[in-house]
Amino acid sequence: ETQRRDELGRLSDAFDQMVARLDASTHQLQQKNADMTATVAQLAEQREALANRQHQLHQLAGELLTTQSEERRAIARELHDEMGQQLAALRINLQVLRSQAHDIVHTDVDPAAARLDDSLAVVDQVIAQVRHRALDLHPSILDDLGLTAALQWLSERQAKRSGVTID
């Protein structure tokens, strides 16, 4: 019987030790679970902050593109309207001078008339360049007919410039 009591005592002590280790392990697991829960919450907050920043960045990029487009439109309009009008007036003045020089000299070989013809050719080239730059900056077809038509027009224009067929 003593042996049995000793054996029961050892079993009881072993059981108590096992319960103590189990309680310690449970406490450690609970602490690790709390730490992991806090980490997951931090990651969720960081993910949400990142999503907000990405949304802000997307909005800013959209605003930047809109501002750039508006600026290009304004510059293109200014080039076409103001410079185009001034160049057209210059061209008219040169044509009048050319006509007056022809009327005075009554010949087409006058050096002044030849210079006026050269000046008219230069003005015509500048007018064409201003039109091209204005179209390059902001094609009016974009506002008038939309993106699809503007892209079609641009591809046809590039094909003519480069000699490459674009489908």
Side-chain angles (χ1 to χ4, degrees):
E1 176 107 8
T2 311
Q3 190 180 12
R4 210 167 182 198
R5 278 187 208 157
D6 289 341
E7 195 174 310
L8 280 175
R10 282 192 303 253
L11 280 174
S12 177
D13 289 342
F15 181 77
D16 289 342
Q17 289 175 359
M18 187 174 70
V19 167
R21 284 193 309 254
L22 184 60
D23 286 343
S25 293
T26 301
H27 179 70
Q28 286 177 345
L29 286 174
Q30 288 172 339
Q31 184 61 42
K32 292 210 184 258
N33 190 26
D35 292 344
M36 288 177 72
T37 301
T39 301
V40 167
Q42 287 176 340
L43 289 174
E45 288 175 16
Q46 290 173 352
R47 182 180 295 143
E48 185 177 341
L50 179 62
N52 288 338
R53 292 254 177 1
Q54 287 175 332
H55 180 71
Q56 288 173 342
L57 181 62
H58 183 71
Q59 284 181 324
L60 288 173
E63 290 173 18
L64 177 63
L65 288 175
T66 300
T67 301
Q68 285 176 337
S69 178
E70 289 170 359
E71 185 66 22
R72 284 183 178 159
R73 182 181 301 135
I75 292 170
R77 188 176 301 123
E78 189 175 313
L79 273 174
H80 182 268
D81 294 348
E82 293 178 18
M83 290 188 74
Q85 288 176 0
Q86 292 171 357
L87 288 168
L90 176 62
R91 187 176 195 292
I92 291 169
N93 288 341
L94 289 173
Q95 286 175 326
V96 168
L97 286 174
R98 173 67 175 99
S99 176
Q100 289 173 349
H102 180 61
D103 290 344
I104 293 170
V105 177
H106 300 291
T107 179
D108 286 334
V109 264
D110 179 33
R115 285 188 184 257
L116 286 172
D117 287 339
D118 287 343
S119 296
L120 282 167
V122 168
V123 168
D124 288 340
Q125 288 174 354
V126 171
I127 289 172
Q129 288 175 351
V130 166
R131 283 187 186 136
H132 287 297
R133 295 300 177 263
L135 286 174
D136 288 344
L137 280 171
H138 187 83
S140 59
I141 194 171
L142 184 61
D143 293 330
D144 298 340
L145 300 178
L147 181 61
T148 303
L151 289 173
Q152 179 67 34
W153 170 82
L154 181 63
S155 65
E156 290 170 3
R157 186 172 179 210
Q158 287 302 107
K160 286 179 186 176
R161 279 186 184 173
S162 65
V164 174
T165 304
I166 299 174
D167 293 326

